[in-house]
Amino acid sequence: MERTLVIFKPDSLNRGLVGEILHRFERKGLKLVGLKMMHLNDDLIGEHYFHLKDKPFFPHLKRFMQSAPSVLLVIEGVNAITVVRNLVGVTKGYEAEAGTIRGDYSLSGQCNVVHASDSQVSSDIEIARFFKDEELFSYDKIDLDFVYSVDEI
Ligand code: IDP
Ligand code: MG
């Protein structure tokens, strides 16, 4: 099983999309193992978007990400990192395929509703960045035998 970090960005909260998007992850069969609300501070934004710090749009991105709280989730499943990235769609909402979260709910290259970890290395770092061990939950989800075949888990 893999774990991946998802952030519902401030546009999700302002547009009242949190429940609807969370529903998509749940309906897929993915397991929720962490969930909380946070206002991201300068340090967290600086770390999380370090790869973009020299981009001209970085100040706008930072202002956007601090314009309201975010909702943070850790989601678990077989191949969860790839599965969640595929559900989310490509970065820019105006390019994302219909049927993906960004394709269905975003028109923007910046306000693109959700973040999802892009690899095993980044999911490990990102989960540790935002969640303490005691904020993550291990439990038996009762639909497991119907979400996966026996040889998949
Ligand atoms: P990702 O979120 O699909 O992994 P990244 O390239 O890691 O894409 O960029 C992180 C976030 O930075 C994007 O989700 C988006 O909010 C913002 N961003 C990326 N490229 C642009 C841009 O060209 N203009 C404005 N914001 C951008
Ligand atoms: Mg990224």
Side-chain angles (χ1 to χ4, degrees), residues 11 91-94 106-112:
D11 51 339
T91 303
K92 296 180 191 329
Y94 52 82
S106 165
L107 286 167
S108 168
Q110 178 176 269
C111 305
N112 55 6

Side-chain angles (χ1 to χ4, degrees), residues 78-133:
V78 174
N79 299 316
I81 297 161
T82 303
V83 166
V84 168
R85 283 287 286 195
N86 289 340
L87 288 174
V88 166
V90 299
T91 303
K92 296 180 191 329
Y94 52 82
E95 291 174 353
E97 254 187 275
T100 64
I101 291 166
R102 286 168 172 171
D104 288 352
Y105 298 111
S106 165
L107 286 167
S108 168
Q110 178 176 269
C111 305
N112 55 6
V113 190
V114 288
H115 163 84
S117 304
D118 64 7
S119 66
Q120 183 73 68
V121 171
S122 38
S123 74
D124 289 347
I125 292 169
E126 291 176 358
I127 291 168
R129 174 175 300 141
F130 292 105
F131 283 83
K132 300 184 185 118
D133 284 349

Side-chain angles (χ1 to χ4, degrees), residues 37-65:
M37 193 159 166
M38 273 178 92
H39 209 131
L40 304 186
N41 64 28
D42 289 355
D43 288 348
L44 286 170
I45 300 282
E47 283 177 27
H48 188 66
Y49 287 133
F50 185 76
H51 61 299
L52 301 172
K53 72 174 179 14
D54 297 326
K55 299 280 187 195
F57 60 80
F58 183 76
H60 301 287
L61 177 62
K62 187 172 169 186
R63 201 173 313 128
F64 160 60
M65 290 300 292

Side-chain angles (χ1 to χ4, degrees), residues 1-2 28-31 76-80 83 141 143-153:
M1 290 278 175
E2 288 179 353
K28 181 71 172 170
L30 291 158
K31 180 175 171 182
E76 188 179 276
V78 174
N79 299 316
V83 166
K141 192 162 179 288
D143 62 6
L144 195 74
D145 292 342
F146 297 95
V147 171
Y148 301 107
S149 73
V150 282
D151 57 336
E152 288 173 325
I153 47 176

Side-chain angles (χ1 to χ4, degrees), residues 8 16 57 103 108 111 134 138 142:
F8 290 23
F57 60 80
S108 168
C111 305
E134 63 267 27
S138 295
I142 58 164

